[in-house]
């Protein structure tokens, strides 16, 4: 973190949805996000990682105000945008853009590449037509697309090219924050690498901050400055990338990392895999106390009743939500080292 004011501050964010049907046994509340705190510094990439269903995409959608939070605040560049109207949100949209997992469904099939990338400039009344045309050309070049692509339609492009167009559209206004929701997981592995390298080049050149949402640990390790681990609607651990990979403290983080692929076969033999029992519980009926207690290999009685706060007891910049992480004992040993 730099000494500058953060670009994004999220406090005690909750997003609950109504689920079920009256005809099939009644309504219930789905607690997709249930008390999330996050901060992103200028130029920082925060990776948000967790299993499918952990609520990480909902966090991203609340930050970009594609969803209105149930409670809590989302401060973007010092302004609380969590409950402002659509009209008030319009100028804020210059500063926050989203890149989705599937560029095919997020690009208008009736618009050409030039129209798609130029659309945010037009919507925000940026410059004359000639100026907008020039800026679209510059942005296409930055994302590695030839000028001739300008007249193509999304269905004429490959998956990687479509994601380059989505990146160009998201960055053409020079936003301060990009929310990237699984932006490479729908692509072939070879294409993923080129898009991730492009993303890092753009991020270094343009200096935007980013919330990078993914379930893929190798992607989050490659891309992030800091990483937040999410489990069933809550953040359970946050740390700088190198710290998290060298010293994961929460039992869930330890289990996640133990299952991640490693390039060196000798490392696989040295490492003990932690297999979690059961599936992720339903966010409509989350476990009491620590939400991980139904799958945690080292749970104690207290875990079923008391919700552990996310605090930096071992280091202020490495908060962990676990009763067993203490200043004296350090991290709980879930598996033999
Ligand atoms: Fe496991 Fe208890 Fe720590 Fe939760 S609080 S991670 S259940 S030991």
């Amino acid at each position: 973190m730099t000494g500058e004011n953060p670009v994004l501050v999220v406090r005690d964010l909750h997003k609950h949805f109504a689920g079920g049907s009256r005809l099939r046994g009644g309504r219930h509340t789905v607690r997709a996000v249930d008390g999330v705190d996050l901060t992103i510094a200028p130029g920082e990439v925060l990776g948000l990682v967790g299993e499918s269903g952990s609520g990480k995409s909902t966090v991203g959608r609340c930050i970009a105000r594609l969803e209105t939070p149930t409670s809590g605040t989302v401060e973007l560049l010092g302004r609380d945008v969590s409950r402002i109207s659509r009209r008030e949100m319009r100028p804020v949209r210059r500063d926050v853009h989203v890149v989705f997992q599937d560029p095919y469904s997020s690009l208008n099939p009736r618009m050409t590449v030039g129209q798609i990338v130029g659309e945010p400039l037009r919507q925000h009344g940026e410059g004359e037509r000639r100026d907008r045309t020039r800026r679209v050309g510059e942005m296409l070049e930055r994302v590695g697309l030839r000028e001739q692509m300008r007249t193509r339609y999304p269905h004429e492009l490959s998956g990687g090219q479509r994601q380059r167009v989505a990146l160009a559209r998201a960055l053409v206004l020079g936003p301060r924050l990009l929310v990237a929701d699984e932006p490479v997981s729908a692509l072939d592995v070879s294409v993923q690498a080129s898009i991730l390298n492009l993303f890092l080049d753009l991020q270094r050149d343009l200096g935007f901050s980013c919330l990078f949402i993914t379930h893929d640990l190798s992607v989050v390790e490659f891309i992030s400055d800091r990483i937040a681990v999410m489990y069933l609607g809550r953040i359970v651990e946050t740390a700088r990338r190198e710290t998290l990979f060298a010293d994961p403290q929460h039992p869930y983080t330890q289990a996640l990392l133990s299952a991640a692929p490693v390039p060196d076969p000798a490392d696989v033999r040295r490492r003990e895999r932690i297999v979690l029992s059961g599936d992720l519980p339903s966010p409509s009926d989350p476990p009491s106390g620590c939400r991980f207690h139904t799958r945690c290999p080292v749970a104690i009685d207290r875990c079923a009743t008391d919700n552990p706060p996310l605090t930096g007891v071992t280091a202020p910049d490495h908060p962990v939500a676990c009763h067993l992480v203490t200043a004296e004992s350090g991290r709980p040993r879930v598996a033999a080292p």
Side-chain angles (χ1 to χ4, degrees):
M1 296 272 286
T2 66
E4 294 174 71
N5 290 334
V7 168
L8 177 78
V9 179
V10 174
R11 290 194 186 93
D12 199 23
L13 181 73
H14 293 250
K15 180 63 189 176
H16 300 167
F17 298 97
S21 103
R22 263 184 299 142
L23 299 177
R24 292 189 182 186
R27 312 283 291 174
H28 56 259
T29 302
V30 179
R31 298 168 167 274
V33 178
D34 219 15
V36 161
D37 296 284
L38 287 177
T39 303
I40 303 184
E44 183 180 47
V45 179
L46 177 72
L48 183 59
V49 69
E51 289 167 275
S52 169
S54 60
K56 52 193 191 306
S57 291
T58 308
V59 170
R61 293 180 66 82
C62 287
I63 288 169
R65 273 304 308 276
L66 302 175
E67 300 281 356
T68 301
T70 306
S71 63
T73 57
V74 175
E75 260 178 41
L76 192 65
L77 301 168
R79 181 180 181 194
D80 182 2
V81 300
S82 50
R83 254 159 287 277
I84 63 176
S85 67
R86 230 182 231 200
R87 200 161 145 221
E88 289 173 304
M89 192 63 200
R90 241 180 98 85
V92 179
R93 295 221 173 274
R94 295 180 69 88
D95 289 315
V96 55
H97 279 264
V98 187
V99 175
F100 295 100
Q101 174 178 0
D102 179 5
Y104 196 59
S105 58
S106 69
L107 302 180
N108 187 334
R110 292 195 197 88
M111 291 169 82
T112 64
V113 166
Q115 288 168 336
I116 290 169
V117 177
E119 182 70 356
L121 296 172
R122 199 184 59 73
Q123 282 178 346
H124 287 268
E126 288 275 313
E128 298 297 321
R129 192 171 177 163
R130 186 186 295 179
D131 181 46
R132 293 201 294 266
T133 303
R134 177 185 56 77
R135 284 173 67 178
V136 168
E138 287 170 1
M139 204 64 230
L140 290 179
E141 196 182 328
R142 266 191 185 274
V143 299
L145 292 174
R146 294 191 313 277
E147 173 68 25
Q148 299 93 295
M149 290 280 182
R150 190 191 276 272
T151 54
R152 302 266 181 91
Y153 287 88
H155 73 271
E156 299 177 285
L157 308 178
S158 68
Q161 287 171 334
R162 284 198 285 265
Q163 204 54 298
R164 285 172 193 265
V165 173
L167 268 173
R169 178 183 60 180
L171 298 174
V172 73
L173 279 170
R176 299 286 305 277
L177 177 69
L178 187 71
V179 176
D181 188 0
E182 302 271 13
V184 295
S185 54
L187 305 174
D188 291 343
V189 175
S190 57
V191 183
Q192 279 188 11
S194 65
I195 297 293
L196 288 172
N197 280 314
L198 169 68
F199 177 89
L200 275 187
D201 288 346
L202 290 167
Q203 198 270 333
R204 281 184 201 127
D205 290 352
L206 304 175
F208 55 87
S209 305
C210 180
L211 178 71
F212 198 102
I213 298 165
T214 179
H215 67 282
D216 188 328
L217 282 163
S218 52
V219 169
V220 87
E221 184 177 19
F222 182 72
I223 213 87
S224 314
D225 298 310
R226 259 187 327 127
I227 297 171
V229 181
M230 197 161 176
Y231 184 82
L232 207 57
R234 291 179 181 158
I235 305 287
V236 296
E237 182 164 5
T238 306
R240 290 204 62 76
R241 172 192 53 192
E242 53 279 13
T243 308
L244 192 95
F245 277 84
D247 182 26
Q249 299 200 347
H250 194 280
Y252 177 61
T253 314
Q254 293 182 45
L256 270 188
L257 295 193
S258 81
V262 288
D264 183 351
D267 284 346
V268 177
R269 282 194 293 275
R270 274 198 297 274
R271 192 172 64 180
E272 186 175 330
R273 177 151 186 202
I274 304 161
V275 180
L276 295 178
S277 58
D279 295 324
L280 191 72
S282 166
S284 60
D285 185 22
S288 57
C290 172
R291 291 199 166 169
F292 187 54
H293 86 261
T294 52
R295 301 170 79 194
C296 180
V298 290
I300 54 177
D301 288 349
R302 185 181 166 202
C303 303
T305 52
D306 297 358
N307 175 27
L310 183 68
T311 49
V313 288
T314 55
D317 62 349
H318 189 169
V320 186
C322 175
H323 295 308
L324 296 188
V325 176
T326 63
E328 300 75 42
S329 66
R331 67 164 154 156
R333 244 181 62 175
V334 178

